[in-house]
Amino acid sequence: MGAYVYSIGATAAIFILLALSLNIITGYAGQAMMGHAAFFGLGAYTAAILTQTYGVNFFAALLLSMLVTGACGALLGLISLRLQADFLAITTIGINFVMVALFNNLSITGGSLGLTIVKPTLFGVKMGNRQFFWLTLILIVVLCLLIVKMRRSWFGMALASINNDAGAARSFGIDVSRYQILTFIIGTAIAGLAGGIYSHRMGYICSSDFAFVISIQILSMVVIGGIGTIRGPILGALLLTFLPEVLRFADDYRSLVYGALLVLMVRFMPSGLIGDNSPLVIGSKKLLGRRFAKKGGQKA
C-alpha cells in the first residue's frame, strides 16, 4: 500500500505543478490557454532526450527543459498579442495537436513507439515514486511561495489589472504586452519542469500522454478548484487525480466526466469549489464571522 500511495501521490504532485502553472497564465493573466499539455510534453521529451541521448545530468536536464519550453512559451506570448479570447484558445488547441503529431512522427522522439527512459539516481540510489514525490512536493512549496510573493509585488498587481481590463491597464501606463509574454514564459517553463519529472518518473512516454484530453484535464483542475487562487488548483488536482482511482470502473468515460464537470462548474460555480467568490468560501467566512462576533459579545 505504501508504494501505491506514493505512486498516486507522485502523480498528484506533478499535476499540482501543472495546474499551478496554467493558473498563472489563465487565472492571473486572464489568457485563454487550452493547449497546456503541449508544453508538458515538450518538457518531458526534451529532458528525456537530453538524459538518454546526450548523457546530461537529470537535474541539469530539468533546467534545460524549462529553458526550451519557456522560449516556446515566449513565442506563444507574442502570438497572443494578436489574438484574444476564443481565437487564442483555438490557436492553443491547434498547437497541442501539432505538437502531438510531431512527437508521434519524429525519429528523435521515438515516433509512435515512444521513448524509454532510464530512471535517474540520487546519491547513488535509483529514484522511485517516493523520491519523485518528495522532490515534486518541495518544488510545489517553492512555487507557492513564489506565487504569493508575485501576487504581492508590482508584477502581480499589474497582472490583476490586466485580467480585469487590459485596456484600462494600458491607459495607466502598464506594458500589457510585456506582462502577457512573461506569464506565458513562466507558466510554460513550469509545465516543462513538470514534464521532465513526469518522463523520468514513468520511465516511458509516448505522444498520447500529452494529447488534448490532458490539456482539458489540467484546465478542469484549475476551474473546478478555483481559478485565480493557489488553493484552488491544488484541490482540483487532488480531486481529479484521486477520483479516477476510486472510479476505475468508469475509466472509459473519463473525458465525458471532465467535460460535464467543467460545464457544471462554469454554469453553477464559476469561481470553483474554493475560489475567492465561491459560495462555499463566502459562506464559511460568514459563519466564522458570526462565531467570532458571538465570542466577542460573550466576553464583553
Side-chain angles (χ1 to χ4, degrees), residues 21-216:
S21 66
L22 177 60
N23 192 47
I24 293 172
I25 299 172
T26 303
Y28 297 132
Q31 299 298 297
M33 178 64 153
M34 295 284 286
H36 209 53
F39 299 93
F40 178 40
L42 182 60
Y45 275 104
T46 301
I49 292 168
L50 286 172
T51 56
Q52 304 309 302
T53 305
Y54 298 102
V56 178
N57 177 269
F58 168 63
F59 294 100
L62 291 182
L63 292 175
L64 290 172
S65 67
M66 290 180 68
L67 290 175
V68 171
T69 52
C72 293
L75 293 176
L76 179 58
L78 290 171
I79 294 172
S80 72
L81 301 180
R82 298 289 182 180
L83 300 169
Q84 295 296 326
D86 297 342
F87 297 102
L88 179 58
I90 294 169
T91 301
T92 56
I93 292 172
I95 289 173
N96 200 160
F97 281 104
V98 169
M99 292 303 295
V100 169
L102 290 174
F103 297 151
N104 197 44
N105 289 283
L106 292 175
S107 58
I108 195 171
T109 62
S112 58
L113 296 176
L115 202 61
T116 302
I117 304 106
V118 177
K119 293 195 175 184
T121 57
L122 184 64
F123 303 117
V125 179
K126 184 177 286 188
M127 294 181 68
N129 287 318
R130 185 192 298 265
Q131 288 78 17
F132 280 111
F133 169 75
W134 288 112
L135 169 64
T136 314
L137 186 62
I138 291 169
L139 292 173
I140 290 169
V141 172
V142 172
L143 178 58
C144 288
L145 292 174
L146 290 175
I147 291 173
V148 169
K149 188 171 183 179
M150 180 196 77
R151 293 183 66 182
R152 294 174 179 174
S153 67
W154 169 251
F155 180 59
M157 290 186 286
L159 290 184
S161 64
I162 292 169
N163 193 5
N164 288 326
D165 192 326
R170 192 175 285 107
S171 68
F172 280 99
I174 295 174
D175 191 345
V176 174
S177 300
R178 187 180 73 169
Y179 285 114
Q180 286 180 345
I181 293 172
L182 281 174
T183 53
F184 273 105
I185 292 173
I186 296 169
T188 54
I190 297 168
L193 172 65
I197 296 171
Y198 174 83
S199 62
H200 287 81
R201 183 214 156 218
M202 297 300 293
Y204 171 81
I205 53 174
C206 61
S207 60
S208 60
D209 293 336
F210 315 104
F212 176 61
V213 66
I214 305 300
S215 292
I216 296 300

Side-chain angles (χ1 to χ4, degrees), residues 238-261:
L238 290 173
L239 283 176
L240 293 187
T241 302
F242 287 99
L243 192 60
E245 295 300 315
V246 179
L247 303 174
R248 275 188 173 274
F249 62 90
D251 189 60
D252 293 336
Y253 303 97
R254 185 178 298 183
S255 299
L256 179 63
V257 171
Y258 289 150
L261 285 173

Side-chain angles (χ1 to χ4, degrees), residues 4-19 201 217-218 220-221 224 233-248 251 254 258 261:
Y4 174 74
V5 170
Y6 273 112
S7 175
I8 303 302
T11 302
I14 290 170
F15 276 99
I16 288 173
L17 267 184
L18 286 168
R201 183 214 156 218
Q217 182 179 350
I218 301 167
S220 300
M221 293 171 179
I224 290 171
I234 294 175
L235 176 65
L238 290 173
L239 283 176
L240 293 187
T241 302
F242 287 99
L243 192 60
E245 295 300 315
V246 179
L247 303 174
R248 275 188 173 274
D251 189 60
R254 185 178 298 183
Y258 289 150
L261 285 173

